[in-house]
Amino acid sequence: MSAESMLFNGAILCITLILGGLSLGFLILKIQGGEPE
């Protein structure tokens, strides 16, 4: 595995984790806060 492909996979993993974390946090806030006003 070359350094370029490792870097590419790392970037994709970071973006996926960030997006997943954001959507998860949003979901939790929505559940805890009830319906948006």
Side-chain angles (χ1 to χ4, degrees):
M1 210 159 126
S2 68
E4 279 184 2
S5 71
M6 278 181 67
L7 197 68
F8 191 64
N9 286 338
I12 290 178
L13 192 68
C14 282
I15 292 169
T16 306
L17 281 175
I18 290 170
L19 285 178
L22 279 175
S23 53
L24 256 178
F26 186 70
L27 199 69
I28 291 172
L29 275 176
K30 207 171 171 187
I31 290 171
Q32 285 183 344
E35 292 296 314
E37 296 173 3

